[in-house]
């Protein structure tokens, strides 16, 4: 018995912000951002649009594509509309799903892979028959647009999948999984204030500590190392080798990170999928947005791998199913 992907949906804000637009107010250039990250533009939500709005749009598309309703909703996000409650219940209600089991998972950029494992667990445990998993983020709300080292990296968006019960080996069946974390490194990428450790008091706001801060070089180094090791573990668990992987769809943080991971694993350039140029790093939304853009053929063996704040990492495999359009 397995959790099988039946439908896919996405939502991104209309507003496109190019590198040139950021360079108008920041000491950066389009050339620097493209060569260091592969990012050309990102989508930024208008004031008043929140994570739940993007999640509802992507979720509705996934349900429509699958032609099914859900009896559980899992939202992978680290940018909920409010710090309490999570957005899961609101998204479920706005999708007309009533009083179903609904909650958030916060594993930062690894959220979608953790969310797939949670969805698979809900189905395996007979807690739900059909799970709507949405990776949804408004990273722009925790991005310091006066800090060139982070402002150029992130974007907003959402991607959703509907999973339901199927047989192991079915096309679309997710798993096995490898998930990990290293809490000793949590300071490398965090929003220092605004939580219970340090509330968002006037000093924190003045110091811009309610925005995301990062040691970019060290995060880069760890991201490559962890995604390579995690990918190898999950392939071993699945009884696969790198030669079996038709497509590597990694968390879209930086094209150089994805290339370094693929190089070390030995995945040929034509089998890597990278769309970070269009959306920047959308954290938990990046993998479903990439799956939607990748033009995957039914039957292709897809390796998913991600790394993010926490630090967290995770990988899984899925033989791509034939999906109806959203
Ligand atoms: N424009 C111009 N110059 C810049 C910019 C910018 N936007 N940002 C930084 N610089 C400067 C720095 O100040 C530094 O200048 P200095 O040498 O005078 O001090 C110089 O560029 C080099 O800085 P580095 O940080 O060494 O640049 P690097 O090549 O490592 O690239 C980057 C920085 C893109 C942030 C890279 O480290 C990275 O991608 N790290 C991973 C971070 C990430 O993706 N985090 C997301 C969350 S985790 C995840 O999703 C994997």
């Amino acid at each position: 018995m397995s959790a099988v992907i039946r439908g896919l949906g996405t939502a991104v804000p209309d507003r496109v912000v190019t590198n040139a637009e950021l360079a108008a107010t920041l000491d950066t250039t389009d050339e620097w951002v493209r060569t260091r990250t592969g990012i050309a533009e990102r989508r930024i939500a208008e004031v008043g649009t929140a994570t739940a709005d993007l999640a509802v749009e992507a979720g509705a598309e996934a349900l429509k594509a699958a032609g099914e309703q859900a009896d559980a909703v899992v939202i992978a996000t680290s940018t909920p509309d409010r710090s309490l409650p999570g957005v899961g219940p609101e998204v479920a209600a706005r999708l007309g799903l009533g009083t179903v089991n609904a909650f958030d998972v916060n594993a930062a950029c690894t959220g979608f892979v953790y969310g797939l494992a949670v969805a698979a667990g809900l189905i395996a445990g007979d807690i739900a028959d059909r799970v709507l998993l949405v990776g949804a983020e408004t990273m722009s709300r925790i991005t310091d647009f006066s800090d060139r080292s982070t402002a150029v990296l992130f974007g907003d968006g959402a991607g959703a999948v509907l999973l339901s019960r199927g047989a192991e080996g079915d096309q679309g069946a997710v798993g096995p999984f490898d998930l990990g974390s290293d809490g000793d490194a949590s300071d490398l990428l965090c929003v220092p204030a605004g939580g219970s450790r340090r509330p968002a008091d006037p000093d924190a706001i003045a110091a811009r500590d309610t925005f995301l801060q990062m040691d970019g070089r060290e995060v880069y180094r760890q991201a490559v190392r962890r995604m390579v090791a995690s990918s190898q573990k999950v392939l071993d668990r699945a009884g696969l080798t790198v030669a079996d992987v038709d497509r590597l769809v990694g968390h879209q943080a930086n094209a150089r990170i994805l290339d370094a991971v693929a190089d070390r694993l030995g995945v040929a350039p034509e089998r890597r999928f990278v769309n970070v140029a269009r959306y920047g790093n959308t954290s938990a939304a990046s993998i479903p947005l990439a799956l939607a853009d990748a033009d995957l053929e039914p039957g292709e063996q897809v390796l998913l791998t991600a790394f993010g704040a926490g630090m967290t990492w995770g990988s899984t495999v899925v033989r791509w199913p034939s999906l109806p359009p959203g």
Side-chain angles (χ1 to χ4, degrees), residues 1 120-128 165:
M1 207 271 302
L122 290 172
I123 290 170
D126 256 337
I127 297 159
R165 194 168 281 115

Side-chain angles (χ1 to χ4, degrees), residues 40-113:
E41 59 189 41
R42 71 286 294 144
R43 302 298 180 99
I44 302 288
E46 298 296 344
V47 173
T49 298
T51 295
D53 302 324
L54 298 173
V56 166
E57 202 182 322
E61 197 175 284
L63 293 175
K64 186 168 165 238
E68 291 186 43
Q69 295 298 299
D71 55 5
V73 173
V74 179
I75 309 291
T77 188
S78 41
T79 50
D81 299 20
R82 298 171 284 187
S83 60
L84 182 115
V87 293
E90 178 184 332
V91 171
R94 285 173 59 185
L95 287 170
L97 300 173
T99 55
V100 297
N101 148 20
F103 59 97
D104 295 5
V105 169
N106 179 348
C109 301
T110 319
F112 192 78
V113 177

Side-chain angles (χ1 to χ4, degrees), residues 107-108 181-187 189 308-312:
S181 74
D182 175 10
D184 288 337
S186 64
D187 288 349
L189 174 51
M311 308 312 289
T312 56

Side-chain angles (χ1 to χ4, degrees), residues 113-324:
V113 177
Y114 268 76
L116 283 174
V118 169
L122 290 172
I123 290 170
D126 256 337
I127 297 159
D129 293 324
R130 297 174 307 272
V131 181
L132 179 67
L133 167 65
V134 192
E137 304 277 14
T138 42
M139 295 302 287
S140 59
R141 306 305 190 242
I142 56 166
T143 299
D144 181 354
F145 284 100
S146 69
D147 173 8
R148 69 177 182 174
S149 69
T150 52
V152 299
L153 301 178
F154 298 98
D156 301 336
V161 290
L162 190 280
L163 300 116
S164 69
R165 194 168 281 115
E168 226 164 280
D170 278 2
Q171 284 192 358
V174 293
F177 288 88
D178 173 65
L179 303 175
S181 74
D182 175 10
D184 288 337
S186 64
D187 288 349
L188 290 179
L189 174 51
C190 66
V191 177
S196 58
R197 176 75 57 203
R198 195 169 154 221
D201 57 28
D203 287 348
I205 293 168
R208 309 190 75 77
D209 284 344
T210 53
F211 293 117
L212 188 148
Q213 296 175 8
M214 169 177 80
D215 176 342
R217 255 182 229 183
E218 187 53 24
V219 169
Y220 186 111
R221 212 179 58 77
Q222 294 209 9
V224 174
R225 184 163 61 89
R226 296 299 192 184
M227 282 195 280
V228 168
S230 177
S231 296
Q232 283 165 336
K233 255 193 210 168
V234 93
L235 288 175
D236 276 356
R237 263 177 216 163
L240 299 170
T241 69
V242 170
D244 298 313
V245 175
D246 298 307
R247 300 284 244 156
L248 171 62
V249 179
H251 163 53
Q252 306 284 312
N254 179 320
R256 283 162 61 216
I257 293 179
L258 289 168
D259 274 336
V261 169
D263 285 346
R264 288 189 197 187
L265 286 171
V267 174
E270 64 277 11
R271 292 192 284 138
R272 311 169 182 180
F273 183 74
V274 184
N275 71 343
V276 72
R278 296 180 68 195
Y279 300 126
N281 180 348
T282 57
S283 187
S286 91
I287 285 185
L289 285 173
L291 290 172
D293 272 1
D295 286 328
L296 298 165
E297 293 291 334
E300 281 191 318
Q301 185 71 63
V302 184
L303 169 62
L304 307 179
T305 188
F307 178 86
M311 308 312 289
T312 56
W313 56 87
S315 305
T316 191
V317 287
V318 54
R319 193 169 283 289
W320 199 244
S322 171
L323 291 180

